[in-house]
Amino acid sequence: MCGILAVLGCSDDSQAKRVRVLELSRRLKHRGPDWSGIYQHKDNYLAHQRLAVIDPASGDQPLFNEDKSIVVTVNGEIYNHEELRKRLSNHKFRTGSDCEVIAHLYEEYGEDFIDMLDGIFSFVLLDTRDNSFIVARDAIGITSLYVGWGLDGSVWISSEMKGLNDDCEHFLFFPPGHLYSSKEGGFRRWYNPPWFSEAIPSTPYDPMALRKAFENSVIKRLMTDVPFGVLLSGGLDSSLVAAVTARHLAGTKAAKQWGTQLHSFCIGLEGSPDLKAGKEVAEYLGTVHHELHFTVQDGIDAIEDVIYHIESYDVTTIRASTPMFLMSRKIKALGVKMVLSGEGSDEVFGGYLYFHKAPNKEEFHRETCHKIKALHQYDCLRANKSSSAWGLEARVPFLDKEFINVAMDIDPEWKMIKPDLGRMEKWVLRKAFDDVENPYLPKHILYRQKEQFSDGVGYSWIDGLKAHAADHVTGKMMQNAAHIFPHNTPSTKEAYYYRMIFERFFPQNSAKLTVPGGPSVACSTAKAVEWDSQWLNNLDPSGRAALGVHASAYDPITAIPVANISIPSNIINLQPTPLKVEISAPGVAIRS
């Protein structure tokens, strides 16, 4: 991921202002350590910190059209750029960068081209002919982006809050799937998929269609000119990403450049569930596996750096970001610049354990819609910023636009968790890849219970965080929490501890408003807490708070973890019909 910063219409074109923009842009250098660029036109500044993944030799930014009247600074990857270049055959391209198509698409189609982009992106485009500009963010908000306003009427855009918080009177996250146009003076939503209205779909479940859509999503994300790997926790989602990558890597351009040996990475405390499962999956797939260990103290020591980088005080985000932050540093040190990761599956398929208590398919579906819409404040934020802190790019196949359309069009009755019918959480996804003739994964991995990342790295991680916070936050501090933090008042000592650190880095009122709040159990929305009355007394984002569901759930009285649930054998011993899949992608033919 790169870092972008733009200051537009600032009524100051002095050298001092240029120096200030460069100074603020350097706050984003961790996102793009490979090169820096800045462009100034009158009172507009576009700055860029580059992480070179595609065309490292010539793709430095900002990027231009033929006569340099259109200037663009981009953070992202455009997976269909080769197809778009063919449609723009009358245009002359200066670089091999996938993002250069944006400038030419604007020339050709004006502001109405955003939906043509298949990828992840945040960009600012300046049209010097009339001094107008547009800003856009990808559909789900996989790339991070903020917008702010200065007292002089200027508009500020930054990949991270730290690039603009000190110079803006007001700022907020840039809404995903939206375009900001200076000509219109406001936002409009360009991303309008069928599921966004939250109407209940009725399409029957087609496991072959779901498998094909996901494999195509993974294949397109193997577009890279640098070494890459996969994050492999041994859970369902990361294991499927790794399995599909391993199966189809040989036919890609990446394989010709870097070979067919896939590298996988896992992190955990000594003896953690993820380390054990990740190693087993890696051996099954034949990857070069890198097992990274950390201690509770290692994580605690990194908390302040994590909060500075992820720009959040949300408890579950910090819990999960810390091991990912530590792992990303190790991965980058090994020379890898891009990884594939499994975020988004739980939102799309209702994989969190609290979905066991969904009362009907309507509420189940609406909850998945709400979760996807909020991803940019949670798992997308974590994956993007924890990895970008070390100049590592994370790609997320489960959040591909086309894949989401297929998955969210399934009648949610099929997604409902029904143990009596042998359907555990994410059953439709598990079933789609349960191929007896040509298995993707070992059966017990394919049907492993959902384990949130912050739990899977080792249960003592969260327990250690709580104990550390208890040593630093007193009862008196908690009694006055509502007066100190009237917005999103911390309800636990752990939350209070994170909030203190966050406000030291980001004291502005606008900053605290960028972080979501409200009651949650096992990562639910506030609405879903109502599904089970006993959850109201045990509000914790850990999956172990899903009482009566998680195999190591908290005790409902003491909140101490206990092992009390087992997965019914009829879920593990399913005998699905073998599936035949044919997939076509540019330059690739796959059959299984």
Side-chain angles (χ1 to χ4, degrees), residues 27 161 164-171 502-514:
R27 295 184 184 181
M161 189 160 55
L164 52 69
N165 63 308
D166 287 335
D167 289 63
C168 289
E169 185 69 14
H170 178 63
F171 55 88
F502 176 87
E503 298 222 357
R504 179 154 36 92
F505 289 130
F506 307 105
Q508 299 86 358
N509 187 60
S510 291
K512 64 176 69 75
L513 297 178
T514 64

Side-chain angles (χ1 to χ4, degrees), residues 148-396:
W149 293 269
L151 282 173
D152 61 353
S154 55
V155 177
W156 293 61
I157 303 294
S158 178
S159 293
E160 295 184 4
M161 189 160 55
K162 59 182 67 67
L164 52 69
N165 63 308
D166 287 335
D167 289 63
C168 289
E169 185 69 14
H170 178 63
F171 55 88
L172 58 139
F173 61 77
F174 192 100
H178 279 71
L179 168 79
Y180 182 93
S181 167
S182 64
K183 293 178 180 178
E184 297 180 3
F187 297 90
R188 73 169 185 268
R189 185 154 56 89
W190 64 264
Y191 179 56
N192 297 286
W195 64 267
F196 213 86
S197 68
E198 301 178 17
I200 311 303
S202 58
T203 303
Y205 170 51
D206 182 345
M208 187 163 60
L210 189 64
R211 186 200 289 191
K212 179 179 179 180
F214 184 66
E215 295 205 312
N216 277 331
S217 174
V218 172
I219 290 167
K220 73 174 69 169
R221 281 162 178 78
L222 299 181
M223 177 187 82
T224 178
D225 292 330
V226 298
F228 75 100
V230 293
L231 304 186
L232 180 56
S233 69
L236 173 68
D237 307 328
S238 65
S239 297
L240 282 178
V241 171
V244 172
T245 302
R247 185 167 293 200
H248 300 307
L249 177 59
T252 65
K253 292 181 180 178
K256 293 177 182 177
Q257 217 170 350
W258 305 106
T260 58
Q261 189 68 64
L262 181 63
H263 288 254
S264 58
F265 305 90
C266 183
I267 190 169
L269 303 175
E270 195 72 44
S272 70
D274 281 1
L275 288 181
K276 179 182 177 182
K279 182 178 181 181
E280 182 178 0
V281 175
E283 290 175 350
Y284 182 84
L285 298 177
T287 68
V288 177
H289 192 56
H290 306 267
E291 192 174 275
L292 311 172
H293 294 203
F294 79 107
T295 66
V296 172
Q297 191 59 54
D298 290 334
I300 289 172
D301 291 342
I303 288 292
E304 292 205 9
D305 284 342
V306 169
I307 292 174
Y308 172 76
H309 278 287
I310 67 171
E311 304 175 323
S312 177
Y313 52 82
D314 175 69
V315 170
T316 190
T317 302
I318 294 168
R319 288 175 176 179
S321 293
T322 304
M324 192 168 189
F325 175 86
L326 296 172
M327 177 169 56
S328 296
R329 185 176 193 179
K330 289 280 191 179
I331 292 172
K332 186 61 183 292
L334 292 171
V336 171
K337 295 177 75 172
M338 184 274 282
V339 291
L340 272 64
S341 190
E343 281 77 14
S345 173
D346 292 312
E347 287 74 15
V348 173
F349 295 105
Y352 292 106
L353 296 184
Y354 72 89
F355 276 94
H356 279 250
K357 301 296 181 75
N360 52 59
K361 73 175 187 179
E362 290 79 14
E363 287 206 42
F364 188 107
H365 181 71
R366 281 192 286 268
E367 178 73 2
T368 60
C369 292
H370 296 164
K371 291 292 291 180
I372 296 171
K373 291 176 183 179
L375 264 170
H376 68 105
Q377 293 180 290
Y378 294 101
D379 284 18
C380 287
L381 178 149
R382 167 179 57 79
N384 182 279
K385 293 183 179 177
S386 296
S387 57
S388 293
W390 301 106
L392 179 70
E393 177 176 302
R395 297 181 181 176
V396 285

